Amino acid sequence: MTPSTAPLHSRIRAYFAPVDRATSTPTLFDPAQLGGFSLDTPPAPWLDLGCIARFVRVSSTKYQPLLAGAPAIAVAQARTEVDASVSFEFDAWGKLQSALASGSQQMNLLATGPGAAPNGSGGSAAAPVSIVESGNTASALNVGPDAAAQFAPGTLIAVDTDYTGQTGYIGAGVSAAYVRSAAAIGTDIDYVRRVTLNVAVVASVNEGVLQLASPLPAGTPAAGMRISRLVGFCDREGASFFQEWSALFILEGAQGDRVLFHYPRLQPMQSSAERAEPLISSAGTAPLERVRLAAAFRALPVRDPNDSETVVCFRSYLPAPLRTI
Amino acid sequence: MQNAKDTFYLMLQQRLAALNPQRVIVLRGQLRPGVLVGENEAPTAHTPVNCFRLTWTTLSIDRTSAMPLAAMQCEIRYATDGSRPMAAMDRGRLLSAMDSELAAALARSPQSTPKLNCSATDSGSAPTPMATSIFWSQPVFAPLTATGERLERTATVDMFAFQEAGEA
């Protein structure tokens, strides 16, 4: 056996999975069953959000001494408040990374139709494209040869249902926003596609089928879903929605050990923010800045059925093989 | 420490050979992948080109851990004179290719590999895996130096290894 040593690592990987907001059901990660998974192929429904930097966990749990005697002396302790948060910076500005770091619902900037009035989060969208209800998968969408002419390799698309007066949580696969009343949305049939996280990049177009660069997060599109082209993403300071995700952060030790931090329920605790860091050139100067997405989340509780404890985070350690413990 | 140095060399040799199998050198009459460790070869004034030459420089040992942690710096030098068919006008491209190969080999995940016990390889035995792994930093590339037509660069890498019980 080899003596155990402190984990040594160079990076932390982040994985997120949806929380079913309608039932408040998080995605639980079982480190006893899956803790050793290959970092490049996380188990479904966990989504790989890549490496993160400046990962900081903060426990704000308060401990109160129970005093007795004269002079008073601490004879016991109690936890009077449990609170934890986590903050980090994403390396990439992908859809999910920027949505998670936006602090609220993130809008897809849908390609506008002719004569659309200017609007901060995008004007009236161009007419959506219907999906032919055959031959579709999460990675291939059949739109027919005529409609396919609107798409080219590199086109960004949002795939979701029309807005027809739904209220409550909306968005295929992941609850992307909450609609309090249909009146707030009005007649925008594209609103669900405007906020959905079910987005992809067209990799190729062949005989009316859009081949996507990566599968749609919500899987094979359901009947009635349509496609809107988009040009980018937008978030807004002052928006009201709280996203909620299950999260898993993995610190891969150089000796084959692994530390896993699992937060079953995370909600953002800051609005969209960035941090600029100088990009040091080989000459030692800093002519450019790299802008990373900064995110901070508060951990919400779940009940551990093993002993009915209410907890907000699980930290697991998988030792390297043949180490003393 | 020697096992760690040998393991790093074998790791780099395998990764570079996988990236570019055509990068080979003839050394002591044998065709080998284009990586060598200077201290393991006969002293010579000749500087081989189009290959990677490893030199171990600094060493420090941290004894505050449960096992001593050795930190060693490896200088990796490489040079090219360009190719004869191109009248050496491709020397910049050839050096860039070596930059890319070295960066890719060292950045490939995982940036660690099980340490090998190479003490019995002189008698023909294969290296055997040990209990710990070596790991290393990203390379730091020094400015290019030009001597006549020859372009040369040195990259430095910090390599770390736990010193296991009974290990030389």
Side-chain angles (χ1 to χ4, degrees):
Chain A
M1 302 297 286
T2 304
S4 175
T5 54
L8 294 149
H9 74 103
S10 58
R11 58 184 188 170
I12 294 179
R13 296 279 289 261
Y15 304 86
F16 280 73
V19 171
D20 185 334
R21 303 299 296 275
T23 62
S24 293
T25 306
T27 300
L28 290 175
F29 180 83
D30 186 341
Q33 295 184 55
L34 299 169
F37 74 89
S38 167
L39 296 186
D40 292 331
T41 53
W46 292 93
L47 303 166
D48 183 1
L49 274 75
C51 294
I52 56 174
R54 294 178 184 267
F55 176 73
V56 178
R57 294 179 346 113
V58 175
S59 167
S60 303
T61 297
K62 290 188 170 60
Y63 291 78
Q64 185 73 39
L66 301 177
L67 307 178
I73 189 166
V75 294
Q77 285 195 106
R79 292 180 183 83
T80 58
E81 186 180 324
V82 174
D83 189 20
S85 61
V86 60
S87 62
F88 54 86
E89 294 168 4
F90 285 113
D91 272 359
W93 281 59
K95 168 63 181 175
L96 280 178
Q97 289 92 338
S98 53
L100 279 158
S102 72
S104 185
Q105 71 267 48
Q106 192 196 42
M107 317 290 277
N108 297 316
L109 293 171
L110 303 184
T112 52
N119 188 44
S121 59
S124 298
V129 172
S130 297
I131 302 172
V132 178
E133 290 184 10
S134 66
N136 297 301
T137 67
S139 301
L141 305 177
N142 184 1
V143 297
D146 293 340
Q150 298 181 39
F151 302 91
T155 303
L156 308 178
I157 60 170
V159 182
D160 218 314
T161 55
D162 287 350
Y163 183 74
T164 55
Q166 303 95 310
T167 54
Y169 294 106
I170 59 169
V174 183
S175 296
Y178 186 87
V179 179
R180 293 193 198 115
S181 71
I185 308 304
T187 58
D188 182 7
I189 67 162
D190 298 301
Y191 182 70
V192 182
R193 286 182 290 277
R194 208 176 276 288
V195 295
T196 189
L197 291 151
N198 201 35
V199 302
V201 182
V202 175
S204 62
V205 183
N206 187 23
E207 296 182 346
V209 175
L210 311 181
Q211 195 68 44
L212 307 181
S214 57
L216 289 165
T220 302
M225 285 188 177
R226 295 206 282 175
I227 304 171
S228 289
R229 287 175 291 119
L230 61 105
V231 300
F233 315 114
C234 172
D235 53 60
R236 302 166 299 175
E237 182 76 36
S240 59
F241 180 61
F242 278 101
Q243 294 196 39
E244 186 173 318
W245 291 81
S246 300
L248 177 65
F249 304 100
I250 297 187
L251 182 160
E252 180 85 329
Q255 299 301 312
D257 46 352
R258 186 175 278 193
V259 185
L260 305 98
F261 303 99
H262 175 36
Y263 292 85
R265 299 177 60 204
L266 283 183
Q267 286 197 356
M269 56 180 287
Q270 74 176 30
S271 298
S272 60
E274 316 83 35
R275 193 185 67 83
E277 64 178 17
L279 191 61
I280 307 297
S281 74
S282 58
T285 59
L288 299 170
E289 288 184 334
R290 186 203 317 265
V291 182
R292 294 184 189 273
L293 289 166
F297 298 88
R298 172 161 281 114
L300 302 182
V302 293
R303 183 179 153 277
D304 187 339
N306 276 339
D307 56 5
S308 300
E309 292 275 13
T310 298
V311 299
V312 298
C313 173
F314 299 85
R315 182 181 71 178
S316 303
Y317 177 59
L318 307 184
L322 296 172
R323 293 298 192 279
T324 56
I325 56 173
Chain B
M1 263 81 81
Q2 188 57 49
N3 286 323
K5 289 156 65 176
D6 291 343
T7 303
F8 183 81
Y9 161 68
L10 290 172
M11 175 280 302
L12 194 58
Q13 184 191 59
Q14 288 166 2
R15 291 189 178 192
L16 288 168
L19 286 165
N20 182 4
Q22 278 74 49
R23 188 170 301 288
V24 291
I25 51 171
V26 176
L27 203 61
R28 284 178 270 133
Q30 285 194 323
L31 194 66
R32 296 175 17 172
V35 190
L36 62 90
V37 182
E39 65 193 32
N40 296 347
E41 304 298 337
T44 173
H46 169 66
T47 300
V49 294
N50 300 317
C51 68
F52 297 95
R53 293 170 282 129
L54 276 56
T55 304
W56 294 99
T57 57
T58 62
L59 166 69
S60 64
I61 300 177
D62 177 1
R63 296 189 179 276
T64 60
S65 179
M67 285 185 288
L69 178 63
M72 290 172 261
Q73 190 169 74
C74 183
E75 283 187 359
I76 304 170
R77 298 175 187 273
Y78 48 102
T80 183
D81 296 331
S83 69
R84 190 169 296 172
M86 293 292 291
M89 289 186 293
D90 57 352
R91 58 193 186 280
R93 293 174 187 276
L94 294 180
L95 195 79
S96 290
M98 298 182 80
D99 292 339
S100 300
E101 288 169 25
L102 184 62
L106 292 170
R108 206 182 84 188
S109 185
Q111 282 184 259
S112 64
T113 190
K115 187 161 60 172
L116 300 171
N117 186 339
C118 303
S119 57
T121 52
D122 288 346
S123 56
S125 300
T128 53
M130 301 180 72
T132 58
S133 296
I134 66 162
F135 48 102
W136 54 89
S137 68
Q138 294 285 349
V140 175
F141 293 91
L144 179 150
T145 58
T147 308
E149 290 181 343
R150 177 163 297 179
L151 301 182
E152 185 167 10
R153 194 189 303 282
T154 301
T156 52
V157 181
D158 292 314
M159 191 271 287
F160 303 89
F162 284 109
Q163 191 73 0
E164 298 181 27
E167 189 183 2

